[in-house]
Amino acid sequence: MICAPKLEDSVIVASNERGELTEDERSRIIEHLQKGTEMMVYQQRAERFTVQVIMETMQVALIGSRDRIVKVLDIFELKELRQWETFQDFQRFNESSTFRKIFGLSEKEVQQDSKTCFTIFYGSEFMLKSLSLNADSVEDAEKWLTGLELLRQETLAAHTPEIIESWLRKKMYIDNTKKNSITLKELKSLLPQMNITVPDGRFLEERFVEVGAKDYVLDFQQFHKFYDLLIFENQEVLLEEFEKGPAAFTISNTNRPESSVLPLSDFQNFLLYRQKETWAKNLNKVQELMTIFINDTMRKTDYPKFTIGEFLSFLFSKENSIWDEKFSEICPLDMNNPLSHYWINSSHNTYLTGDQMRSESSTEAYVRCLRLGCRCIELDCWNGRDEPVIYHGGTMTSKIKFKDAVKAINDHAFITSEYPVVLSIEEHCDTTQQKVIAQMLKDVFQDKLLTKPLDPEAKHLPSPNQLKGKIIIKHQKISESDHTDKQGNTAGKSKLNSFKNVFKKIGKPKENMVLEKEGELCIWDPIHMRFYKHDCVISDNKLYYSEEKEEDSPKEGSDLHLFEPWFHGRMAKGRITAKRLLHDFCKGRNGKDGTFLVRESDKFIRNYSISIWTRRRVQHYRIFWSSENGHASFFLTSKQCFPSMCALIEHYRQNLIEYDGLNLHLKNFLPRLNFVSHHQLGWFYSNLSQAKAEEYLLRIPRDGAFLIRQREEPDTFELSVRVEGVIKHYLIYRYNGKYVLADIYEFFRLEDMVSCFREQLFIGKIKLRYPVTPQLVERICMEDLLTCDGELYSEVHMVGQVPEDNPLGHQCKGVVDISKCNVARNAKYGRPLVVTLLNKENVKLIEFTCEILEQVEEWYQVVLNIIQSIIEKMENKTKIAVEMSDMVVYCQSIKKTLNTTFENYNCKEVRSFKDDDFTKKGNEVKPDCILEYNRIALSRVYPKGFRVDSSNFDPCPSWKLGCQMAALNFQTADKFMWLNSALFSLNGGTGYVLKPEWMRDPTKKKPSKQKIRIRVIAARHLPNSEHIISPFVKVELLPYTGARVDDYSFKTTFLNDNGLNPVWLGPRNPPKCFEVDEPDLAFLCFEVSEGDAFSDPKVLAQATFPVRGIRSGYRSVPLKNVFSENLELASLLVHVEV
């Protein structure tokens, strides 16, 4: 059963939104594709064709008039289906007014519906071909998208006998005609395409007779038998291989492929002892494997038998591959190491489709690389006329818009692999267009874009698992040393000429102290969740603030309501929640008028609301608060004021409320949930260990957090306080009916002790300010779980070092360095404008406002001017836009000379090297230093400048030194890209391969050397280039680790005129034994070339594998083309001993 991927809006892969299809649904969709659908096809011109799937050959056909097939696509070569109305083919015709006139269509009618247009991408080279189609209905388009994806997956999973049958059908359908027979004359013309020369015409005639042909015409079954005879003709000699050695079996009468049989028991022994297949102990699995290759249903029994032709077919099949597929599976546990512990699939100048000087730049090159599993792609950014562009600067390569590139990357980044993608940005834009780039990255990638570290204190990079689905920016970052000079920003500064009342209390500032802004600010306390007033000064780009001011604080008793059960504090969704609670409370108890609760106003600071049940409904009224000369007043109307909230409530319990239509007494109240009376306050714990107390206090990011706990000894207690980030404990004991603290202070009650030191300094500048209640701990824990919303605060400014010569003198409580901040403003906490200062990780440092709106706007402008002035200086100095710098988290590009690059580094840096940096003269860096660096941080190696033909360097030396990113030109089909494809076929093609343990841990040793013995025996279905080939095979162990080339490679003899079924046996083709020095980073490369005495050999096919996944025995080597794309049926037969 095939599960179709989900169809997305902007890209993509064909699918069925219902998920997994039933067999009946699948059959109906495939039947629809077989019948064919008329569509508009966009090629050189727009034409209508019938698009049809030919199941016998697994091809898509375009059928014109008179049922003439004008084009076919092999589903085997289909790579992607994309639903995309903006693809260039559609775009070209949409923009063409001539096109509209020809078809008599309005511009609106020509705008294709994105759900009816789709593009098929196919091919076997780096740049794929495309076929764009426009169906007449959404239903037709969806059936084709779903059906083609189903067939693509089924083709990839098809067994070798099915592929052979499809291949034979394609050969029989000469000139794209659906013929069910082939004549002798047609067969003679076909044989060169099958890559073989037969002895003479008589040979063919005899084979025609053998298969029972009449009148020199073969039907398909006879053609299949002819193929079996033909391919067996030259390879029956291979059966002698199995008449000796372990699990030998003798086969008599081997003149014809079906003339002898191999029983189940012999085949099982072959798998166990020749192929070392432990799974073959299970006889049922052996039976299942045999039935795949048996084409006679009568022999598919509990004890099947192979014909010798079927046995040879198995030997050459992908089911008998030399590669152990378990090494191609993803190992999730291996994805939990730091990013620096992996080799990362990386591309150089990803946008190019050819050489470095004149080739075309294309967004499709990004798509292709990402879908090939590349995880680090390069963007060369230059100033464009109106927006940034990407191209190879100083060359004649074409340009693409940066915006188009990032859109393509966003659409395709995580289709092949869900693990992080690194955008290596080579920056050539000025800061203005860098800001445009930064905004485009934010707009396109949104929450995929990594903009802050997962753990700011971590000493190692996060793992691929932690970074799933993330885009990481590699770019230069403004360093701390690049910040503005020590003199700071002097723009807009003024001498102290106001605010004199502050300095009457705290002393005069230094004479040369220049202030930018001074006054009173209301600073938000996230623990108490309210604003407190502070004297504040901005000087030398820093905001200094005093202890909270007490002159306007209410007198003792004005806060007694905090301990009353009818006071509910701040309520989420205040008025709505109060109404619901009162309604539920009163309705269920036949509630009386006058039932009430009091809560903090969610709109007005230090104001409250009383919600009253009256006449079966809830009414809300504001309780006003004011302060004059330190005396607090509470009132419903200004006619009658009370010194405390408690006094107000008690008054209206005794007297009628005559206000705004009300005429009633306050009666019952709705008690606060989990209410604790004032003599059982939450800061007291009767059963709490010291370790747990410290844990609670450390969760509260403020000095002055405290709690009191009962000790195990009778009448002893402990006061635990957070002081300068450290938890300190003080003994309390009962003596003569009093509580004695630190042998100095005596109190009748613990509440009195807490009340005393909430008003007076307890130690240093610390008061008992934040009672650590269970509710507070729970709230802080919940905030810890929700750090992504930015609600957590940094505590650095609360306890940071305050210079003695600060403008607030000894009353200065803290300082915030504005030069290292970002600033934001919005309405919150019931205030129309609140200014927020955040650090570069977007953690809040401080939030403030003023009683007068115009004043807070003035403070905001001063802060903004400082930040903008500093940004301008930094950008002028570094040529890096702050917006781009702020996006760089884990891949900070650092430029240093090679000999100093491995000193003073951290895990967030990336160093880049040319491919010859490690080997050229003058390099004094020891390999161990490079390895050690690459255990912690990242490095990227790129091709040196003279490789204008886009040739690649050997990545193995870089990988051996632990370099994670060897950036290769994916568009170039050379041996070094074969190695790259082989390495990153490991771990499920995710683009991340865990480096061996000895590279990650200096205490581990390299694995011991091993030997591998290879013998090339034969081949089938080698590709031909328009003529019959004379092939030979070269086998190499890469990389070469010694001086003698012959120790690492060998060649077979070349065979004349046979690419269908050549055999290399005899003394001229002996086995070769390789010694593998480093098995973790060794590759076995099979290269099939065409021999020619007059020119250099031409590579026809190759297969490259990491040595670690090679299997022993008689094995098939499935071949790929030079672009590492699979070749249909092409394979070698080799014998391997590991």
Side-chain angles (χ1 to χ4, degrees):
M1 187 69 65
I2 302 297
C3 182
K6 186 178 178 182
L7 180 64
E8 312 230 349
D9 288 333
S10 57
V11 185
I12 288 230
V13 180
S15 67
N16 185 296
E17 291 183 356
R18 293 170 293 177
E20 188 171 337
L21 298 176
T22 65
E23 188 60 36
D24 185 53
E25 289 172 328
R26 177 200 173 279
S27 298
R28 287 202 301 270
I29 289 174
I30 300 305
E31 183 181 354
H32 181 81
L33 270 58
Q34 284 183 278
K35 286 182 179 178
T37 306
E38 192 171 303
M39 300 189 204
M40 186 70 79
V41 180
Y42 298 88
Q43 298 181 99
Q44 295 299 319
R45 55 180 183 171
E47 297 181 86
R48 289 189 74 82
F49 289 105
T50 297
V51 186
Q52 185 181 60
V53 166
I54 305 172
M55 290 297 291
E56 297 88 348
T57 59
M58 294 303 284
Q59 292 175 311
V60 178
L62 302 185
I63 303 173
S65 58
R66 300 178 184 177
D67 291 336
R68 183 175 60 90
I69 297 177
V70 297
K71 186 183 184 72
V72 292
L73 315 178
D74 279 345
I75 295 176
F76 176 78
E77 290 192 346
L78 197 154
K79 297 296 186 295
E80 179 195 352
L81 298 163
R82 193 181 307 169
Q83 194 174 39
W84 191 12
E85 81 282 7
T86 58
F87 185 63
Q88 58 188 9
D89 291 343
F90 300 124
Q91 220 170 25
R92 185 171 69 248
F93 286 102
N94 283 346
E95 294 168 357
S96 170
S97 58
T98 306
F99 170 76
R100 296 198 299 272
K101 289 177 182 177
I102 291 173
F103 289 93
L105 300 174
S106 68
E107 183 174 356
K108 184 176 181 180
E109 290 173 314
V110 168
Q111 295 298 320
Q112 284 85 1
D113 185 335
S114 64
K115 292 189 176 181
T116 63
C117 296
F118 61 97
T119 300
I120 301 172
F121 290 86
Y122 65 98
S124 58
E125 297 185 0
F126 175 72
M127 290 307 295
L128 299 176
K129 302 170 187 174
S130 65
L131 181 68
S132 296
L133 307 167
N134 186 12
D136 292 338
S137 70
V138 174
E139 182 183 8
D140 276 343
E142 288 182 350
K143 283 181 178 178
W144 273 89
L145 286 163
T146 302
L148 285 177
E149 180 62 20
L150 282 170
L151 294 177
R152 186 184 75 85
Q153 293 179 14
E154 290 178 3
T155 301
L156 291 174
H159 293 301
T160 299
E162 298 172 275
I163 300 171
I164 290 173
E165 184 163 335
S166 176
W167 182 80
L168 289 172
R169 288 282 185 185
K170 280 186 272 192
K171 297 302 179 186
M172 177 174 272
Y173 290 178
I174 299 171
D175 298 327
N176 293 329
T177 57
K178 298 181 184 179
K179 293 178 58 178
N180 289 316
S181 62
I182 186 169
T183 66
L184 177 62
K185 181 179 178 181
E186 290 170 337
L187 186 59
K188 287 180 179 178
S189 301
L190 179 63
L191 288 176
Q193 297 178 36
M194 296 175 70
N195 217 348
I196 191 169
T197 300
V198 297
D200 48 42
R202 185 176 177 182
F203 173 88
L204 291 179
E205 291 176 6
E206 290 174 353
R207 300 300 176 272
F208 265 56
V209 172
E210 282 189 63
V211 300
K214 295 180 180 180
D215 300 325
Y216 295 107
V217 176
L218 302 176
D219 62 22
F220 181 73
Q221 295 300 323
Q222 292 166 337
F223 181 51
H224 201 309
K225 288 182 180 179
F226 172 81
Y227 162 80
D228 291 340
L229 289 170
L230 185 66
I231 205 159
F232 181 74
E233 185 79 27
N234 194 45
Q235 293 186 339
E236 62 181 278
V237 66
L238 301 180
L239 298 171
E240 298 175 6
E241 287 280 320
F242 310 104
E243 295 179 354
K244 52 191 176 183
F249 48 84
T250 302
I251 302 175
S252 59
N253 190 17
T254 60
N255 295 329
R256 294 167 58 88
E258 74 281 3
S259 59
S260 187
V261 294
L262 182 70
L264 172 64
S265 58
D266 283 353
F267 184 59
Q268 183 182 32
N269 288 333
F270 167 76
L271 293 174
L272 285 170
Y273 301 111
R274 295 286 185 111
Q275 306 295 81
K276 312 297 184 187
E277 300 282 17
T278 56
W279 62 263
K281 293 176 183 178
N282 186 327
L283 195 61
N284 290 332
K285 291 186 177 181
V286 179
Q287 291 171 344
E288 290 174 12
L289 178 60
M290 291 184 74
T291 55
I292 291 172
F293 293 87
I294 294 174
N295 60 11
D296 180 1
T297 55
M298 299 297 292
R299 289 188 288 114
K300 293 183 178 182
T301 65
D302 289 342
Y303 296 96
K305 297 179 180 180
F306 265 159
T307 66
I308 52 177
E310 291 163 347
F311 175 62
L312 288 178
S313 181
F314 162 75
L315 290 178
F316 283 93
S317 72
K318 64 180 183 179
E319 288 81 1
N320 184 41
S321 174
I322 191 175
W323 178 245
D324 190 340
E325 286 296 334
K326 74 180 182 184
F327 287 91
S328 294
E329 297 171 359
I330 299 177
C331 182
L333 293 178
D334 281 350
M335 301 301 275
N336 291 324
N337 282 264
L339 217 58
S340 56
H341 288 186
Y342 297 83
W343 289 306
I344 303 173
N345 200 356
S346 305
S347 163
H348 170 252
N349 286 359
T350 312
Y351 49 89
L352 291 179
T353 59
D355 65 48
Q356 303 288 308
M357 299 300 292
R358 297 173 178 269
S359 67
E360 182 181 352
S361 303
S362 172
T363 57
E364 289 302 314
Y366 285 107
V367 174
R368 185 75 166 121
C369 286
L370 288 167
R371 285 180 167 265
L372 287 171
C374 185
R375 297 289 88 187
C376 176
I377 55 180
E378 186 172 12
L379 300 90
D380 283 357
C381 302
W382 296 80
N383 284 347
R385 181 176 298 178
D386 300 312
E387 59 183 295
V389 295
I390 293 175
Y391 79 112
H392 196 195
T395 69
M396 298 174 68
T397 57
S398 63
K399 300 175 182 178
I400 57 175
K401 293 179 179 179
F402 179 85
K403 173 177 61 181
D404 293 340
V406 293
K407 284 181 179 179
I409 293 166
N410 182 59
D411 290 340
H412 297 266
F414 303 109
I415 290 176
T416 296
S417 169
E418 62 183 340
Y419 294 100
V421 173
V422 178
L423 303 190
S424 179
I425 297 179
E426 187 173 317
E427 192 64 81
H428 303 281
C429 293
D430 59 27
T431 55
T432 301
Q433 293 213 357
Q434 284 183 45
K435 295 175 190 292
V436 175
I437 288 174
Q439 192 59 50
M440 286 180 178
L441 291 171
K442 289 179 182 177
D443 292 344
V444 173
F445 294 125
Q446 298 184 22
D447 59 352
K448 296 177 189 174
L449 189 66
L450 186 75
T451 56
K452 56 184 179 181
L454 303 188
D455 180 359
E457 304 301 320
K459 302 299 181 184
H460 296 279
L461 290 167
S463 70
N465 268 337
Q466 291 174 297
L467 294 168
K468 276 183 182 178
K470 289 298 182 183
I471 301 289
I472 302 172
I473 302 300
K474 174 183 170 291
H475 191 276
Q476 293 83 18
K477 187 174 182 69
I478 298 172
S479 64
E480 290 295 325
S481 60
D482 292 322
H483 281 266
T484 190
D485 54 55
K486 295 182 180 180
Q487 294 178 356
N489 176 40
T490 59
K493 293 183 178 180
S494 60
K495 289 286 183 180
L496 179 62
N497 54 17
S498 62
F499 199 39
K500 294 180 180 178
N501 56 317
V502 175
F503 297 105
K504 289 178 182 177
K505 300 176 185 178
I506 63 176
K508 295 182 179 180
K510 295 175 68 175
E511 292 184 2
N512 61 350
M513 182 74 70
V514 181
L515 306 179
E516 298 160 61
K517 184 69 177 172
E518 63 278 346
E520 185 179 79
L521 292 178
C522 300
I523 297 178
W524 178 254
D525 186 324
I527 304 300
H528 283 161
M529 299 190 71
R530 55 163 293 184
F531 285 101
Y532 288 101
K533 291 182 179 180
H534 299 253
D535 293 327
C536 298
V537 174
I538 294 179
S539 175
D540 293 331
N541 299 339
K542 292 180 175 65
L543 170 63
Y544 299 89
Y545 55 94
S546 70
E547 295 282 349
E548 54 269 25
K549 298 173 70 174
E550 298 181 357
E551 58 268 30
D552 286 339
S553 298
K555 292 292 184 183
E556 185 176 355
S558 64
D559 280 342
L560 290 177
H561 61 274
L562 298 175
F563 311 118
E564 293 293 338
W566 43 258
F567 183 71
H568 288 244
R570 181 179 294 273
M571 302 178 80
K573 299 181 181 178
R575 173 182 293 237
I576 296 172
T577 303
K579 180 179 179 181
R580 176 176 57 80
L581 291 174
L582 272 173
H583 184 273
D584 293 345
F585 181 77
C586 294
K587 184 178 179 183
R589 294 170 173 78
N590 296 317
K592 297 179 180 179
D593 285 359
T595 303
F596 71 98
L597 65 82
V598 179
R599 58 186 172 85
E600 287 187 36
S601 171
D602 50 5
K603 293 184 178 180
F604 304 99
I605 301 301
R606 292 291 290 182
N607 277 225
Y608 304 88
S609 292
I610 183 168
S611 300
I612 306 173
W613 177 264
T614 174
R615 300 172 186 173
R616 303 185 64 79
R617 58 185 293 193
V618 178
Q619 298 277 60
H620 308 277
Y621 300 94
R622 182 175 168 189
I623 298 176
F624 297 88
W625 171 89
S626 67
S627 178
E628 185 175 352
N629 298 323
H631 296 280
S633 294
F634 295 82
F635 55 91
L636 275 172
T637 69
S638 58
K639 296 179 180 179
Q640 194 161 15
C641 298
F642 302 91
S644 69
M645 178 80 74
C646 293
L648 181 147
I649 296 299
E650 188 60 31
H651 173 82
Y652 288 118
R653 290 179 120 170
Q654 304 296 327
N655 302 280
L656 286 173
I657 300 176
E658 296 177 325
Y659 170 67
D660 195 26
L662 278 179
N663 191 5
L664 51 73
H665 292 92
L666 295 180
K667 296 180 180 177
N668 296 337
F669 57 83
L670 171 62
R672 183 163 79 240
L673 188 65
N674 298 325
F675 172 72
V676 180
S677 64
H678 69 275
H679 60 278
Q680 293 175 323
L681 292 174
W683 42 256
F684 181 79
Y685 294 82
S686 60
N687 186 19
L688 188 73
S689 67
Q690 187 179 86
K692 201 67 177 177
E694 291 184 351
E695 179 186 335
Y696 282 6
L697 289 164
L698 288 171
R699 287 183 179 275
I700 312 304
R702 292 293 184 275
D703 282 346
F706 74 95
L707 60 82
I708 297 176
R709 67 182 187 87
Q710 175 85 51
R711 289 164 54 96
E712 292 182 2
E713 299 85 353
D715 287 334
T716 61
F717 309 86
E718 190 171 77
L719 170 64
S720 300
V721 188
R722 180 169 175 145
V723 179
E724 296 184 352
V726 178
I727 310 305
K728 295 188 177 182
H729 306 281
Y730 300 90
L731 177 66
I732 303 171
Y733 58 89
R734 292 285 300 272
Y735 182 73
N736 289 336
K738 295 182 180 180
Y739 293 88
V740 181
L741 171 62
D743 290 327
I744 301 175
Y745 306 102
E746 295 181 353
F747 301 91
F748 285 105
R749 300 185 308 161
L750 290 176
E751 293 96 317
D752 297 335
M753 179 189 303
V754 170
S755 297
C756 173
F757 291 114
R758 294 191 76 168
E759 300 294 330
Q760 301 177 25
L761 295 177
F762 175 65
I763 179 172
K765 291 187 177 183
I766 305 300
K767 298 178 181 179
L768 300 187
R769 180 161 177 74
Y770 301 106
V772 178
T773 66
Q775 294 80 7
L776 178 60
V777 173
E778 182 180 359
R779 175 165 67 84
I780 296 298
C781 288
M782 287 302 297
E783 289 179 350
D784 284 342
L785 296 173
L786 300 172
T787 55
C788 60
D789 65 6
E791 288 301 317
L792 287 189
Y793 289 72
S794 168
E795 60 178 305
V796 175
H797 72 289
M798 303 298 288
V799 298
Q801 293 293 325
V802 178
E804 292 183 1
D805 60 349
N806 72 82
L808 292 176
H810 65 274
Q811 287 199 8
C812 184
K813 178 182 180 180
V815 58
V816 178
D817 190 342
I818 298 173
S819 69
K820 298 178 181 179
C821 290
N822 297 321
V823 64
R825 59 174 177 171
N826 51 12
K828 60 195 311 187
Y829 309 136
R831 294 296 183 99
L833 185 62
V834 175
V835 178
T836 304
L837 289 177
L838 310 97
N839 66 14
K840 297 305 180 182
E841 282 73 40
N842 282 331
V843 176
K844 293 177 184 177
L845 299 178
I846 194 170
E847 293 184 289
F848 64 81
T849 186
C850 297
E851 298 292 351
I852 301 173
L853 182 63
E854 290 76 11
Q855 289 180 353
V856 71
E857 180 67 33
E858 291 175 6
W859 282 88
Y860 170 75
Q861 288 299 329
V862 171
V863 171
L864 184 63
N865 290 340
I866 292 172
I867 293 174
Q868 288 179 338
S869 174
I870 290 170
I871 287 173
E872 184 178 351
K873 287 184 179 181
M874 288 191 296
E875 290 181 343
N876 290 337
K877 179 180 178 181
T878 63
K879 308 302 181 185
I880 302 171
V882 168
E883 291 82 353
M884 280 303 303
S885 176
D886 289 346
M887 286 185 174
V888 183
V889 181
Y890 291 124
C891 291
Q892 303 172 12
S893 297
I894 304 295
K895 294 182 179 179
K896 285 191 177 182
T897 62
L898 182 65
N899 291 331
T900 60
T901 195
F902 302 112
E903 302 170 1
N904 302 320
Y905 53 83
N906 64 61
C907 68
K908 296 180 181 179
E909 298 177 0
V910 180
R911 309 291 166 87
S912 295
F913 309 101
K914 295 192 293 294
D915 61 74
D916 62 347
D917 276 352
F918 298 126
T919 57
K920 65 184 179 183
K921 293 181 179 180
N923 172 20
E924 300 175 359
V925 181
K926 295 180 180 179
D928 287 348
C929 294
I930 304 173
L931 268 173
E932 182 58 34
Y933 167 85
N934 283 320
R935 289 187 183 104
I936 304 298
L938 299 176
S939 59
R940 179 176 181 267
V941 182
Y942 60 92
K944 52 190 174 184
F946 75 79
R947 296 184 184 273
V948 294
D949 59 349
S950 291
S951 61
N952 283 309
F953 60 91
D954 183 356
C956 290
S958 302
W959 289 335
K960 187 177 177 181
L961 291 171
C963 298
Q964 296 84 3
M965 297 176 281
L968 301 183
N969 295 300
F970 274 49
Q971 70 272 29
T972 301
D974 59 17
K975 187 171 296 184
F976 302 127
M977 265 307 297
W978 303 348
L979 294 175
N980 194 76
S981 297
L983 177 66
F984 292 105
S985 68
L986 298 168
N987 200 27
T990 58
Y992 287 86
V993 173
L994 188 64
K995 292 187 282 191
E997 195 173 24
W998 64 268
M999 284 191 178
R1000 296 179 274 130
D1001 184 348
T1003 65
K1004 302 297 182 181
K1005 294 182 178 180
K1006 291 184 180 181
S1008 57
K1009 296 180 180 181
Q1010 68 181 60
K1011 292 185 178 181
I1012 183 167
R1013 188 173 182 268
I1014 300 284
R1015 180 161 58 100
V1016 177
I1017 299 173
R1020 283 189 178 183
H1021 293 281
L1022 298 179
N1024 65 332
S1025 52
E1026 301 178 355
H1027 62 272
I1028 301 171
I1029 64 170
S1030 299
F1032 70 91
V1033 180
K1034 179 181 179 181
V1035 182
E1036 288 183 282
L1037 178 69
L1038 299 171
Y1040 294 176
T1041 55
R1044 285 169 49 93
V1045 174
D1046 289 346
D1047 290 342
Y1048 300 95
S1049 68
F1050 74 93
K1051 296 179 183 178
T1052 67
T1053 56
F1054 78 89
L1055 300 177
N1056 286 320
D1057 300 332
N1058 186 354
L1060 181 66
N1061 56 354
V1063 173
W1064 291 278
L1065 289 176
R1068 295 181 62 195
N1069 294 289
K1072 176 75 173 182
C1073 188
F1074 294 124
E1075 186 172 74
V1076 184
D1077 293 332
E1078 295 180 359
D1080 290 319
L1081 195 56
F1083 300 87
L1084 201 59
C1085 178
F1086 299 88
E1087 187 177 312
V1088 180
S1089 300
E1090 182 179 12
D1092 189 334
F1094 302 102
S1095 61
D1096 293 334
K1098 179 182 179 182
V1099 178
L1100 301 171
Q1102 58 86 24
T1104 308
F1105 306 98
V1107 165
R1108 68 176 86 172
I1110 296 295
R1111 298 199 293 179
S1112 296
Y1114 290 89
R1115 295 296 181 180
S1116 165
V1117 179
L1119 294 172
K1120 301 175 182 288
N1121 69 4
V1122 292
F1123 288 95
S1124 295
E1125 295 288 345
N1126 292 329
L1127 291 169
E1128 201 171 37
L1129 294 174
S1131 64
L1132 301 175
L1133 179 63
V1134 300
H1135 184 257
V1136 185
E1137 294 178 25
V1138 179

